[in-house]
Amino acid sequence: MPGRHPCGGGNELGDFLRAQRARLTPEAVGLRSIGSRRVIGLRREEVAVLAGVSSDYYARLEQGRERTPSPQLMEAVARALKLGADARDHAFRLARLAPTTRVTDEQASPHLRQLMDSFPKAAAYVVNPAFRVIAANDIATGLIAPANHDGHVLQYMFLDPTAPTYFVHWDDAAHAAVSGIRLAAGFSPPHPEVAALVRRLYVRSPAFAAMWDDHEVAGLTTVHMHIRHPAVGELELAYQTFDVRESPGLQLTVASAAPGSPSEDALALLGTIEATQREGAPGHLQPGPPRTPQAQESP
């Protein structure tokens, strides 16, 4: 899609607000729908009424002609559009009203590595704002091995033809990933790896481009996934993601299975396989901290 700028530049706040009002109907916000409607979702004037601002002001905000909205105005618009917590925070960042998010260190600390190793039956790994894996325990290393691509899991998800086999419900997993990367793209200052990743996927993956243009935004909290792993078969896992407070921008994800389930046994087996390969195979690292994938850029 030549000429498009999916990350950075343009009127990002206006694009986001238009996408959010297109999701709502008058009935959903307590308004009566009168006459024929030429727009999908709410009209600008309806959002203005709900937010308690003039139609002209709201039009300028969407068109990018109003570049210094107040926090009170953005709060009113967020309520009018029924934005969730992540979407509200994203709107504030796009309006340059949120604190900056600086990734000060993309290294997992010894304490964080110790925490990851303390999960004997769960996969634990750390990602940077571009969702590149920078550290993982043995179970996680074995779990993401088919989708690793040197840590670039999102590239695997959208550019590798085997991804829909690995992610049994690929569409759900992909939407969650795009929603999360859009949240990261709103950080100020922007993370250069995120912008490059979005541009690359936008050009090379029509599926990513369509999901990106939908402007859905939400952080990764708890996600249930069905994985078909080539080494241990199918796994039903719950993924929980946490911010790493000592390193803003990094996230810790823990994938676990129901106690006593076949999926829990499969996770444990993956950890055993990975530990055995690491300790016994020529050229593998000896026992120590979780493995860190190489951070080289994929073409």
Side-chain angles (χ1 to χ4, degrees):
M1 297 184 183
R4 298 292 299 275
H5 298 279
C7 190
N11 179 19
E12 293 183 83
L13 177 59
D15 292 343
F16 179 72
L17 295 178
R18 280 190 293 274
Q20 303 318 304
R21 68 178 170 88
R23 300 178 192 278
L24 296 173
T25 63
E27 293 77 12
V29 295
L31 297 177
R32 293 179 59 191
S33 181
I34 301 175
S36 61
R37 304 182 67 86
R38 293 182 297 173
V39 298
I40 299 175
L42 297 179
R43 298 186 177 103
R44 282 178 181 163
E45 312 87 78
E46 291 169 330
V47 177
V49 168
L50 292 168
V53 300
S54 72
S55 297
D56 179 66
Y57 184 92
Y58 183 76
R60 295 202 310 271
L61 186 66
E62 272 201 8
Q63 293 165 357
R65 294 186 290 123
E66 174 53 62
R67 299 186 178 276
T68 57
S70 69
Q72 294 81 5
L73 179 280
M74 286 305 303
E75 191 66 58
V77 170
R79 286 197 302 269
L81 293 173
K82 294 186 174 297
L83 300 185
D86 288 327
R88 172 196 173 277
D89 292 348
H90 183 66
F92 269 63
R93 279 192 289 270
L94 295 180
R96 297 178 176 85
L97 291 173
T100 59
T101 302
R102 294 186 180 276
V103 182
T104 56
D105 186 9
E106 290 200 7
Q107 299 293 323
S109 70
H111 297 294
L112 185 55
R113 291 176 178 272
Q114 183 179 4
L115 175 63
M116 287 190 289
D117 272 342
S118 71
F119 293 101
K121 297 182 178 180
Y125 57 95
V126 176
V127 298
N128 75 350
F131 294 169
R132 175 169 56 79
V133 179
I134 64 172
N137 68 5
D138 281 338
I139 296 177
T141 300
L143 178 66
I144 66 178
N148 197 338
H149 279 230
D150 294 320
H152 295 275
V153 179
L154 238 65
Q155 290 194 163
Y156 169 82
M157 179 177 283
F158 285 97
L159 301 181
D160 194 302
T162 67
T165 300
Y166 178 83
F167 298 102
V168 176
H169 302 293
W170 178 90
D171 193 66
D172 292 340
H175 272 92
V178 175
S179 183
I181 200 70
R182 177 172 282 285
L183 186 67
F187 289 172
S188 177
H191 190 282
E193 199 172 319
V194 172
L197 175 66
V198 170
R199 285 193 296 268
R200 183 162 56 252
L201 294 180
Y202 195 89
V203 171
R204 298 178 59 184
S205 169
F208 177 88
M211 293 180 193
W212 181 263
D213 287 342
D214 196 41
H215 287 269
E216 184 178 351
V217 57
L220 296 177
T221 51
T222 301
V223 178
H224 294 275
M225 287 195 189
H226 185 179
I227 302 297
R228 184 178 291 116
H229 196 283
V232 297
E234 299 197 6
L235 302 95
E236 296 280 354
L237 303 174
Y239 287 69
Q240 293 182 291
T241 301
F242 311 89
D243 291 331
V244 179
R245 296 190 65 182
E246 65 185 16
S247 298
L250 300 188
Q251 293 182 309
L252 168 67
T253 294
V254 180
S256 60
S261 67
S263 294
E264 185 182 58
D265 294 338
L267 278 181
L269 178 58
L270 281 173
T272 300
I273 293 172
E274 181 60 30
T276 301
Q277 291 179 339
R278 175 166 52 80
E279 294 173 8
H284 270 71
L285 296 176
Q286 293 305 306
R291 294 174 57 187
T292 301
Q294 296 297 313
Q296 66 189 50
E297 194 72 14
S298 296

